[in-house]
Amino acid sequence: MKATTRAHILIVDDIPTNIEVLLGVLEKDYDPSFATSGRQALTLVATQEPPDLILLDVMMPEMDGYEVCAALKANGSTRDIPVIFITARTDVESETRAFAAGGVDFIHKPINPAVVRARVRLQLELKQHIKTLASNLAEIQRANEQLMILSKAIEQSPTSIVITDQHANIQYVNPQFTKETGYSSTEAIGQNPRLLQSGLTPRSRYVEMWDLLPHGEAWAGELVNRRKSGEVYWEEARIAPVKDESGSITHYVAVKLNITDRKLAQDRLLFIASHDVLTQLPNRRLFFDRVTQALELAKRKDTQLALLFIDLDRFKPINDNWGHAVGDLLLQA
C-alpha cells in the first residue's frame, strides 16, 4: 500500500443495511467496495486487484465467513490479505473458529464506528510493517548471498589477498597467501606485512607506498619478498584503503600476484640481448652500451678514458677443430 494511495477495503455481507453502515464509516479515509456473498467475494478477489483488507461477515447463506476465509488462505495470491470477521456472536468457540480460519481480528455487531476505524487502521499499519519487514529481510538475504559469493571468490582467488586494520596489522589472509608464503593464517594474523620483507625491495618503494595509502590513495608496484622457508620471490602488489561511511580509513586490502617467473624470463631476455648465446660473454651491443656510459662519465668528470682492444688471431679454427667449450675457456682465460 503506497502512502499516497487510499487503501482498498472489501466489505462482504449479505445484508445491504450492514454494507451501507460500513461504507459510511470507511469511505472518508479509504476506498471501500463490497460483495453480497462469499462466492462473489472470491470471484472479485480472483479477477481484480486484491484488496488491502477484507471485512467479512460470518453468517451468510451458501458459504459462511469461515469457509470464505479458509479459501482465501488456501490461495497463494490471497493468503496474505488480512481478514477481520464481523459477527454478532460473542462466544469463545466462534472467536476460536475465526482465528483458526485465518482471521486476524473480529468486530462485534452492532458495530461501533470508532472501533471499526481503529481496528482497520491497526491492521493496515501492521500489514505495511510486515511488508516493509519482508522487503528488508529480502534485501538482507540478497546481501548475504552477495557476501557468500564475495567470500568464496576471495577464498578461492588465485592471487594472495591480505586485509589489515588501519594500523597495518593483518586481520585476514586467504588460502593462496598461505600457499605462496608458507605462513598459516594463525601465524600471519596479528603480524605486520613486513613479516615478508626480504630487504631487497628499495626503501623508496615503501616510502612511496605510505605517502599514498594514509591519504586514501591506492598504490601499485613490485615487491621482493621472502617466504617462511627463506626463499625470495617477486610480487606485483596492489594495495588500497577501505573507508567507512564518513570517509575514514578502517582497513587496507592488498591483492598480490607472484611474478617471479615473469621476472626471471625478463632477466633472461635482457641477458640474451646483451650476451653471446654461445659463449655467454658480453656481445657488441653491451660493449657499445658500456663504452657510451664510460664516455659520458669521463666527460662529466672531465677525465680521460682508455680503451684496450685485444685481437685473438685464428680464433675461429680453434672453435671449429676443438669445439666451443675449449674456445670459451680460452676467452675466459
Side-chain angles (χ1 to χ4, degrees):
M1 181 183 65
K2 298 181 180 179
T4 57
T5 303
R6 288 170 31 126
H8 175 206
I9 299 174
L10 177 62
I11 302 167
V12 185
D13 200 309
D14 63 321
I15 300 176
T17 303
N18 292 339
I19 294 175
E20 290 178 5
V21 172
L22 288 171
L23 287 174
V25 171
L26 300 172
E27 62 186 357
K28 180 181 177 181
D29 301 312
Y30 305 104
D31 180 22
S33 63
F34 64 89
T36 56
S37 69
R39 297 194 184 281
Q40 183 186 16
L42 292 176
T43 300
L44 289 175
V45 171
T47 57
Q48 300 178 6
E49 185 175 351
D52 297 296
L53 183 141
I54 296 176
L55 296 179
L56 181 59
D57 186 27
V58 173
M59 300 301 296
M60 293 185 296
E62 295 184 7
M63 193 175 193
D64 64 24
Y66 302 130
E67 294 173 309
V68 174
C69 188
L72 290 169
K73 299 305 175 182
N75 188 327
S77 62
T78 59
R79 66 161 61 104
D80 293 329
I81 302 173
V83 175
I84 298 178
F85 282 102
I86 298 180
T87 176
R89 297 180 177 179
T90 59
D91 58 285
V92 175
E93 181 181 355
S94 296
E95 293 180 359
T96 302
R97 285 192 65 189
F99 288 122
V104 296
D105 201 353
F106 53 88
I107 299 173
H108 294 297
K109 293 179 181 179
I111 65 167
N112 181 322
V115 171
V116 172
R117 294 191 191 97
R119 297 286 179 87
V120 167
R121 183 176 64 253
L122 176 64
Q123 291 303 325
L124 288 174
E125 290 177 351
L126 180 60
K127 180 182 179 181
Q128 184 60 39
H129 289 321
I130 292 174
K131 183 178 179 180
T132 300
L133 179 60
S135 177
N136 291 340
L137 289 174
E139 186 64 30
I140 291 173
Q141 179 64 29
R142 286 192 292 270
N144 285 336
E145 291 174 355
Q146 289 180 339
L147 286 175
M148 287 294 295
I149 294 173
L150 289 173
S151 177
K152 290 180 180 178
I154 291 173
E155 287 288 309
Q156 299 175 21
S157 172
T159 58
S160 295
I161 297 178
V162 181
I163 299 176
T164 74
D165 61 18
Q166 69 270 35
H167 304 297
N169 297 313
I170 297 175
Q171 292 192 331
Y172 169 84
V173 295
N174 71 340
Q176 183 63 26
F177 172 91
T178 297
K179 179 180 178 182
E180 197 68 69
T181 67
Y183 289 101
S184 67
S185 59
T186 303
E187 292 173 313
I189 290 175
Q191 298 290 331
N192 188 285
R194 69 173 64 95
L195 171 75
L196 303 174
Q197 288 185 7
S198 64
L200 301 175
T201 302
R203 184 176 179 278
S204 60
R205 200 158 297 172
Y206 294 112
V207 172
E208 176 192 7
M209 178 192 302
W210 289 109
D211 279 345
L212 294 174
L213 293 177
H215 295 92
E217 298 182 51
W219 176 87
E222 295 180 355
L223 301 171
V224 186
N225 283 336
R226 191 181 301 277
R227 296 187 174 96
K228 183 180 179 181
S229 64
E231 182 183 3
V232 171
Y233 67 103
W234 284 81
E235 282 187 329
E236 183 179 78
R238 296 180 181 275
I239 307 174
V242 179
K243 304 176 184 178
D244 60 16
E245 293 79 4
S246 65
S248 300
I249 296 174
T250 60
H251 297 81
Y252 296 103
V253 58
V255 179
K256 303 191 290 182
L257 178 66
N258 187 327
I259 59 170
T260 303
D261 290 342
R262 184 203 304 172
K263 295 295 293 186
L264 292 175
Q266 289 175 349
D267 291 344
R268 180 58 182 167
L269 287 174
L270 289 174
F271 183 85
I272 292 173
S274 59
H275 291 75
D276 183 77
V277 177
L278 181 61
T279 65
Q280 306 295 304
L281 295 173
N283 62 13
R284 181 177 300 179
R285 178 179 296 177
L286 183 58
F287 168 74
F288 284 118
D289 179 70
R290 294 294 186 268
V291 169
T292 301
Q293 292 181 26
L295 288 172
E296 291 177 353
L297 182 61
K299 182 178 180 180
R300 187 163 56 248
K301 292 188 175 183
D302 194 21
T303 60
Q304 294 184 341
L305 173 67
L307 177 63
L308 177 64
F309 179 78
I310 300 175
D311 184 22
L312 298 179
D313 294 332
R314 302 180 60 80
F315 183 72
K316 184 177 184 302
I318 295 175
N319 274 340
D320 293 341
N321 294 328
W322 301 98
H324 295 291
V326 174
D328 292 348
L329 288 174
L330 289 174
L331 282 175
Q332 295 171 11

